[in-house]
Amino acid sequence: MPTPETTATRHDQHGRYAQVHSVADIHRNLAIVQARIQAACIRVGRDPAQVRLLPVSKTQPDAVVRLAYAAGLRMLGENKPQEALRKWEASQDLSGLHWSVIGHLQTNKAKLVARCAAEFQALDSLRVAEALERRLQAEGRALDVLVQVNTSGEASKYGLEPADVPAFMQALPAFSALRVRGLMTLAMFSSEAERVRQCFIRLRTLREQLRQSVPDGIALDELSMGMSGDFEIAIEEGASVVRVGQALFGARAVPDSHYWPGEAPAHA
Ligand SMILES: *Cc1c(COP(=O)(O)O)cnc(C)c1O
């Protein structure tokens, strides 16, 4: 049986996944991804039911959103608030479809997230927490949020430094419309599995440390980590949510540097 020590990244597939044209294409990709999730769970003795697959539809056209819905998917991830709002508006007839915003938010876009998102995974400043709280109060609703942590030490990555997270958590109960559910990270984009794994270990270790000190009402159950190229390693290290785009919906035409400033367009 393969052991976690041998699990590799799949960054070599980056940009090579085939476009989807039908519900059957999405069902096939879902089956492949779910089998990979299951295999990773088995390697470390986890129950696959504890891992939520968040399909990421960024850059994909509305037609693909509709195929995803027809394939049974009911929550989709978007990196940019404007794109999330636009797709939310365009899919009002798809009942029960929810949106998760997984990318960095500027305070002047908080209104968009407060309007259309069921979940926000990239909380990384008190200014954004304040802006979201104000907009959510105005909308009369609450939002599930994850705190984004920079576990790779790369200046280009968003997220709080691990050392700053404990104090940040102490401030969050003041925002009653934010339901804190856990932590999120983007690992280093490297073909060296061990360096990627260290990022995930860092997030899980931080969660264990925080458990000693988090205020009442702050939950830390969610660890959102792993994407098409590295979700199996993330699951081996405890991910409860994996955010998977390309492996489900095909390669994106837009280079990743558009979403992750500073990221090189071609990856190792
Ligand atoms: C695009 C994106 C993903 C998914 O990446 P894939 O390589 O398409 O699986 C995951 N997380 C975030 C924050 C993203 O922006």
Side-chain angles (χ1 to χ4, degrees):
M1 192 172 97
T3 63
E5 287 69 37
T6 61
T7 308
T9 67
R10 295 182 189 247
H11 292 317
D12 56 335
Q13 292 301 306
H14 196 89
R16 295 189 186 166
Y17 295 95
Q19 297 302 314
V20 294
H21 302 288
S22 66
V23 176
D25 287 346
I26 294 181
H27 276 149
R28 185 203 57 220
N29 290 346
L30 272 170
I32 293 169
V33 168
Q34 268 149 3
R36 285 169 55 187
I37 290 174
Q38 198 148 14
C41 284
I42 287 169
R43 285 196 289 277
V44 292
R46 295 189 63 196
D47 175 1
Q50 291 170 354
V51 180
R52 166 161 68 108
L53 172 62
L54 175 63
V56 176
S57 55
K58 72 186 188 200
T59 78
Q60 300 292 348
D62 292 337
V64 170
V65 169
R66 284 174 186 276
L67 292 178
Y69 186 85
L73 301 176
R74 291 296 179 268
M75 187 182 257
L76 297 174
E78 286 289 334
N79 182 295
K80 290 190 178 288
Q82 303 94 310
E83 190 174 340
L85 183 76
R86 200 195 56 66
K87 286 178 172 165
W88 172 78
E89 281 169 347
S91 60
Q92 286 300 306
D93 59 314
L94 305 180
S95 81
L97 180 61
H98 301 290
W99 296 90
S100 177
V101 173
I102 59 176
H104 181 71
L105 183 61
Q106 290 169 323
T107 50
N108 62 353
K109 304 275 165 52
K111 186 179 187 168
L112 312 187
V113 170
R115 173 144 314 151
C116 73
E119 177 181 81
F120 174 56
Q121 294 206 355
L123 183 64
D124 62 359
S125 77
L126 289 179
R127 290 183 60 231
V128 167
E130 279 157 15
L132 278 173
E133 174 75 13
R134 197 153 38 84
R135 295 300 185 176
L136 287 162
Q137 294 288 357
E139 300 269 347
R141 52 186 298 261
L143 182 68
D144 286 342
V145 299
L146 278 67
V147 172
Q148 184 171 358
V149 182
N150 181 343
T151 55
S152 69
E154 295 165 296
S156 63
K157 292 274 202 298
Y158 290 114
L160 291 160
E161 292 302 316
D164 295 335
V165 178
F168 185 75
M169 288 291 179
Q170 296 300 321
L172 293 184
F175 306 102
S176 60
L178 302 182
R179 293 187 298 231
V180 182
R181 300 293 193 210
L183 307 175
M184 178 272 226
T185 201
L186 277 158
M188 178 176 289
F189 213 116
S190 168
S191 56
E192 288 174 58
E194 206 38 51
R195 300 180 74 189
V196 173
R197 186 181 297 278
Q198 285 309 318
C199 297
F200 298 141
I201 291 174
R202 211 162 284 141
L203 197 70
R204 190 191 63 217
T205 308
L206 177 64
R207 193 251 303 263
E208 298 321 316
Q209 288 165 2
L210 289 169
R211 283 217 158 115
Q212 335 269 322
S213 67
V214 286
D216 285 349
I218 302 286
L220 292 173
D221 300 320
E222 301 274 26
L223 284 185
S224 175
M225 53 190 201
M227 33 204 262
S228 294
D230 58 17
F231 71 78
E232 288 140 305
I233 299 173
I235 289 169
E236 288 168 0
E237 298 304 337
S240 69
V241 183
V242 292
R243 310 176 307 267
V244 179
Q246 310 176 58
L248 291 176
F249 301 128
R252 290 178 288 273
V254 182
D256 286 335
S257 52
H258 180 66
Y259 291 94
W260 303 316
E263 202 73 65
H267 300 290

